[in-house]
Amino acid sequence: MSAKKILVVEDHRDTRELLKYNLAAAGFDVAAAEDGQSGLKLASGFRPDIILLDLMMPGMDGLEVCRQLKGDGALARIPVIMLTAKGEEIDKIVGLELGADDYVVKPFSPRELVLRIKAVLRRSGAPEPDAPKAWERQGLKIDFEAHQISIDGDEVPLTATEFKLLTVLISGTGKVQTRDNLLDTVWDTHFEGYSRTVDTHVRRLRQKLGPYADWIETVRGVGYRFKAPNA
């Protein structure tokens, strides 16, 4: 089995080299870029399985890189983990709204980073055990094995995390999913009480579901429930 490919986009040389060393030691095939423009170009040729993207870079920052990645049909499905500093709370929210799948706060341990990378890769891989191979109601069709969703005949791109979130909600149709449970199940970790991450992804998911957005119901003070009409 070939090694998973990781693209590191980080302007700080020492951090970039440290990431390359630790990720290679963990068994990944690593490529690195020192700025946003180089990162976008390398992403097109290297076609990584996941991208580690520094948020604060001169010139084109991580938010703009993420925006362009998610706007490119050939690259939009690649999971993105943003590397952020502790004081960049608002930027984390914006990054998640742009389609980033996770964020890791600097300074971080190599072990923590590898665990987070593996968690995101799992979300973008095999479907949930409890999920059917396909699901359809009215004009909403989901192919869980192919990680594809179409609305009224048009394919809609979802990030790995958005697809995992939708899968978990559909698998528990009719049941209330608390924010804490979704954090543990979808993100394979608990974001230290950072429940707004769930709200941000649900909001993005509703936008992409279009006319079927209200099938994801808000249970005030608790979490969310998926409730679609019977076939």
Side-chain angles (χ1 to χ4, degrees):
M1 185 175 180
S2 60
K4 293 291 187 180
K5 297 194 292 184
I6 297 182
L7 171 60
V8 174
V9 185
E10 163 67 62
D11 68 303
H12 192 272
R13 180 178 178 181
D14 289 345
T15 302
R16 188 170 64 249
E17 293 302 316
L18 183 64
L19 285 168
K20 287 170 60 179
Y21 174 82
N22 283 289
L23 293 172
F28 295 105
D29 180 6
V30 187
E34 63 182 12
D35 57 55
Q37 287 284 7
S38 299
L40 287 171
K41 184 177 181 179
L42 192 51
S44 296
F46 185 56
R47 291 303 172 94
D49 296 292
I50 190 168
I51 296 173
L52 296 185
L53 179 59
D54 185 32
L55 184 59
M56 298 300 292
M57 294 185 292
M60 182 184 293
D61 65 14
L63 294 177
E64 180 57 29
V65 174
C66 188
R67 183 181 289 109
Q68 293 198 30
L69 284 169
K70 296 306 176 182
D72 185 325
L75 304 175
R77 295 183 185 277
I78 300 174
V80 173
I81 295 180
M82 286 197 144
L83 307 178
T84 74
K86 286 187 176 180
E88 296 163 356
E89 186 81 2
I90 298 300
D91 289 330
K92 292 173 195 171
I93 296 287
V94 175
L96 290 168
E97 289 181 342
L98 287 174
D101 295 272
D102 199 352
Y103 66 85
V104 175
V105 177
K106 298 178 182 179
F108 47 78
S109 71
R111 180 176 179 275
E112 176 200 3
L113 181 60
V114 169
L115 289 174
R116 299 288 274 271
I117 289 170
K118 289 181 177 179
V120 172
L121 287 172
R122 281 196 298 273
R123 295 204 292 271
S124 62
E128 289 295 287
D130 294 337
K133 292 184 178 180
W135 185 95
E136 181 177 351
R137 293 289 188 281
Q138 297 182 12
L140 178 59
K141 297 181 181 180
I142 303 170
D143 184 332
F144 291 99
E145 291 188 324
H147 272 232
Q148 292 180 337
I149 173 176
S150 65
I151 294 177
D152 298 332
D154 296 322
E155 186 175 345
V156 177
L158 298 184
T159 68
T161 302
E162 290 164 355
F163 196 91
K164 177 75 176 284
L165 176 59
L166 182 59
T167 300
V168 170
L169 288 169
I170 289 178
S171 296
T173 294
K175 299 178 182 178
V176 178
Q177 301 276 359
T178 67
R179 288 175 175 84
D180 284 346
N181 180 63
L182 289 171
L183 282 170
D184 291 337
T185 305
V186 177
W187 282 263
D188 293 332
T189 188
H190 198 94
F191 270 150
E192 300 178 355
Y194 195 57
S195 61
R196 282 179 295 175
T197 298
V198 177
D199 299 334
T200 297
H201 279 82
V202 168
R203 182 166 62 251
R204 283 181 52 84
L205 188 54
R206 281 173 169 161
Q207 290 172 349
K208 293 184 177 182
L209 290 178
Y212 310 105
D214 60 359
W215 289 5
I216 300 178
E217 299 180 336
T218 299
V219 181
R220 192 173 298 278
V222 181
Y224 298 96
R225 174 174 53 212
F226 191 86
K227 192 174 181 181
N230 293 328

